[in-house]
Each structure stands twice: as structure tokens, then as C-alpha cells.
Amino acid sequence: MALGTDYPRQDCGIARSLEVVGERWTLLILRDCFLGVRRFSDFEAHLDISKAVLTARLEALVSAGLLTRVGRGHASYELTPEAIDLWPVLHGLAQWGDRLTSPGRPRRTFHHVGHGAECGLLGGDGRCTACGTAPLPSDIETRPGPGADPTLRDDPVSRALRAPHRLLEPLVTR
Amino acid sequence: MALGTDYPRQDCGIARSLEVVGERWTLLILRDCFLGVRRFSDFEAHLDISKAVLTARLEALVSAGLLTRVGRGHASYELTPEAIDLWPVLHGLAQWGDRLTSPGRPRRTFHHVGHGAECGLLGGDGRCTACGTAPLPSDIETRPGPGADPTLRDDPVSRALRAPHRLLEPLVTR
DNA sequence: TCTCTTTGGTCTGTTGATCGAACCAGAAGG
DNA sequence: CCTTCTGGTTCGATCAACAGACCAAAGAGA
């Protein structure tokens, strides 16, 4: 763990979490993984992040056991079950940030889809407003919400994400 | 917002959240607020943080509307409703970090207490395992868990937190 | 197979954030 | 009024982030 990123004398689960996902960019990289981003160049195009920092973060996430690197050479990065467990936290942060800065107009919405058919919208507590269950990421579809700003960026990842997309499914960017 | 702390071209609620609570120490300061810490010197004693950074973080949280500064001079800092809304995220992070690094032995446990009487333990989803509801922080009591390390630190805040304590109630440290 | 382009990085100099320690003004207590 | 404590500010040193140049290996095409 690099200097300045850990909290060695905090006996607390939050501190342990932040040592893994608390650095700048790390949670946005994981968000992109949930949205289906897999490749170095796609992370780079979608986040305005320097290559050196992206390299360091991906390595840290792999060695923390949150990502696995698949294939030699031009690899792809995939979420491990431990990382998928973080979904409620990421969803909670997205909801809280939207409520705080864009009330009533979320930038992105998440929907429970069963076996093909849509069930309902996900509420602030991560539960489906129709059936009341808390669906797994693999049963969630995401779409741009009413607060989205389509003029903000125009990279291949952002373009692909303007269509509805199921979480964890690889994005097709070309 | 200081340079290097925001994500201006990310059209996403998570990015908006991280601009407010994503800096080093910020979430641990808010955690301490939920645990009842109110005063500058108590934050300083409980977190190993430099005074300059603590001053900057408290100011940023006040101007973001997450803390209010009560009283001139030797003030105390209190959570606003917007900050209390963050509780599910903090609880999720605590659970995830404990599961990842200390499985089966959480460092701190949270319990639903109704009107005086205890109802049940809070599970990973923030719901009471006895009654199934998601209690507000004011109806939650916290205690050190089986994974706690009582030898790690010995400041007044840590000592006060070795006894059961209701969230948001001011801690008595002397 | 050979060449060309793309991908997935590394390296470098500069800028910004964090740190520990010393210092200090105003509040609280006597 | 005097003393102590609290809640900071200031300073120099160290550490991390950034933009941009550079580069080796993988993949695509002829």
C-alpha cells in the first residue's frame, strides 16, 4: 500500500475499505467496470486520467483481488466477486450525489430486469420499486436519466452508454 | 473545490459525490460525526491527521452543506440532514471492508434499538436482521465487535467508544 | 513473411496535496 | 488579571497527480 493512502491506526472497516478503493479515480474505474468497460484504452478514453495513474490503479486493484487481468498482451480487466459485492455502495453513492446536485433529475437510472422483461426502477435503497427485492448487478439495466448531459463528452464509451445496457456485460465500443 | 479533487467531465452521480466526500480523511471525519465526535480536538485525537488538513476538511464539509458549525470560538460540528443521508453508504463501506479483511469478525457492530429495547443486529444490507426494516441512524446503537483491536489506540474518543453508544449522540470524552 | 498501425504501457519535468512541527490568538477557567 | 487549553495558521519538506513524449509488443493487412 503506497504511502499516504492507508490509515494504519484506524481500527475500522471503513478505513480498510478506503485503503483499497479510497484513492482518486479508483471508484470511477470500478464504476466503469460495472458499466462494461474492460480495456485500458476504453478506461483512458472515458476517464480523463493520465496513463501512469491508470496503470497504477489497475495494478493496485488486481493485487487487491478486485480485478482479474484476462489474457497476456492486450489484456482485459474483469470484476471479481469481491468487487461485485461493492455494488450497493456504488449505487448508494450515485443516488446520493444525484440527489444532492440534481434533485429529481438523476444522471443515470437503473432498472430491475428479470428474464428479459423489465420489472421496475431501482430506488435510493437499491431495491426495485416494483417487486421490493435488491437485484444483483447482473439483473440490472442502466440508461441515461433525465439529468444526463449528452454534450459533455463524445468518446466511444460514452456513445455506447447512451443506449440501455445491462451491467457487467462487456461494452462494444467499435 | 480545490484542484485535483474534482472530476469536471464526468456526468455521473458517483463523481459528484466524490467531489464532496472523496478526499483523503473526509469519510473518516463523517464516520466520527456519526459516532458522536463534535470537537476539533477530538477529531484530531482520534484520527492521525495534521491540523492543517483537518481544518481544510471541516471547512470544505461546512461549505458543502454537510456540517454546520455551532457556536463561535470553540465550536462544535454537527451533521446536516444531507450528511445523515450518507449513512447507508458508510455502513456499506464498513461492512464491505470488514468482510474483505476480517471475515466473520467485524470490528464494530450496529444494532437496531427501538424505544429503549434492542431489536436486532444490522446485516450487510443495512437492515435489521430481526424486524427487516432499515433503521435511521438515530435508532442505531454501535459497539466494538469481535474483530476490534483494543490495543491499537488509547485516546479519549477510542476509550469512550468501547462502551455501547447510540449514533449521533454526542460522545463524552472527559 | 514483412510492414504498418494500434494498444498498452513507461519515463520525465512540473504542479499540487499532505505531512510533521513550530507558532499563536482568542476563549475558558480560576 | 493571569494561566491554560483549544482551535487553529504558517512553514519547509516530501509525496502523489498531471500532461506529454516516448517505446515495445500485439494485431492487421499485403
Side-chain angles (χ1 to χ4, degrees):
Chain A
M1 207 103 17
L3 245 156
T5 69
D6 58 349
Y7 305 95
R9 292 176 47 74
Q10 292 294 316
D11 188 31
C12 160
I14 297 175
R16 296 288 83 72
S17 294
L18 294 178
E19 288 173 348
V20 180
V21 300
E23 283 180 288
R24 184 159 159 79
W25 296 112
T26 301
L27 282 173
L28 294 184
I29 291 171
L30 290 174
R31 171 206 66 181
D32 274 12
C33 292
F34 277 99
L35 294 177
V37 177
R38 295 280 114 107
R39 307 186 54 166
F40 190 95
S41 56
D42 283 339
F43 289 113
E44 196 195 355
H46 192 222
L47 308 163
D48 297 307
I49 182 177
S50 85
K51 290 174 156 198
V53 175
L54 179 56
T55 302
R57 292 296 182 276
L58 289 172
E59 265 172 23
L61 285 168
V62 168
S63 79
L66 298 195
L67 292 182
T68 50
R69 190 197 165 108
V70 178
R72 289 190 302 289
H74 297 177
S76 79
Y77 296 89
E78 300 194 358
L79 293 171
T80 64
E82 287 76 28
I84 294 177
D85 260 7
L86 246 194
W87 169 249
V89 171
L90 278 172
H91 183 252
L93 273 176
Q95 299 280 320
W96 185 80
D98 274 343
R99 274 203 307 278
L100 194 70
T101 63
S102 176
R105 299 175 55 75
R107 279 165 255 259
R108 183 161 284 281
T109 57
F110 300 91
H111 306 260
H112 181 202
V113 288
H115 305 82
E118 160 144 3
C119 182
L121 180 72
L122 257 63
D125 57 354
R127 299 192 163 239
C128 175
T129 51
C131 73
T133 65
L136 296 175
S138 53
D139 291 328
I140 295 173
E141 186 179 276
T142 179
R143 312 179 198 145
D149 175 2
T151 68
L152 196 56
R153 53 168 56 242
D154 191 45
D155 57 85
V157 175
S158 299
R159 276 197 296 277
L161 285 171
R162 295 211 249 273
H165 181 74
R166 193 180 280 242
L167 294 190
L168 303 181
E169 291 277 313
L171 264 188
V172 185
T173 53
R174 104 208 52 232
Chain B
M1 203 101 20
L3 246 154
T5 70
D6 57 350
Y7 305 94
R9 292 176 45 75
Q10 292 294 314
D11 187 32
C12 160
I14 297 175
R16 297 289 84 72
S17 294
L18 293 178
E19 288 173 348
V20 180
V21 299
E23 283 180 290
R24 184 160 162 78
W25 297 113
T26 302
L27 281 173
L28 295 184
I29 290 171
L30 290 175
R31 170 206 67 182
D32 274 12
C33 292
F34 277 100
L35 295 177
V37 176
R38 295 279 114 109
R39 307 187 52 164
F40 190 96
S41 55
D42 284 339
F43 290 113
E44 195 195 354
H46 192 223
L47 306 163
D48 298 307
I49 183 177
S50 86
K51 290 176 158 196
V53 175
L54 179 56
T55 301
R57 293 294 183 276
L58 289 173
E59 266 172 22
L61 285 168
V62 168
S63 78
L66 299 194
L67 293 182
T68 50
R69 189 195 168 109
V70 179
R72 289 191 302 289
H74 297 177
S76 78
Y77 296 89
E78 300 194 357
L79 293 172
T80 64
E82 288 75 28
I84 293 176
D85 259 8
L86 246 195
W87 167 250
V89 171
L90 279 172
H91 182 253
L93 273 176
Q95 299 280 320
W96 185 80
D98 274 344
R99 274 204 306 278
L100 195 72
T101 62
S102 175
R105 298 176 55 76
R107 279 164 255 259
R108 183 161 284 281
T109 57
F110 299 91
H111 306 260
H112 182 202
V113 288
H115 305 82
E118 161 145 1
C119 181
L121 180 70
L122 257 61
D125 57 356
R127 299 190 163 241
C128 174
T129 51
C131 72
T133 65
L136 295 175
S138 53
D139 290 329
I140 295 173
E141 185 178 276
T142 178
R143 310 178 199 147
D149 176 3
T151 68
L152 195 57
R153 54 169 54 244
D154 192 44
D155 56 86
V157 176
S158 300
R159 275 197 295 276
L161 284 172
R162 295 212 248 275
H165 181 73
R166 192 179 282 242
L167 294 189
L168 304 181
E169 291 277 314
L171 264 187
V172 184
T173 53
R174 98 207 59 231

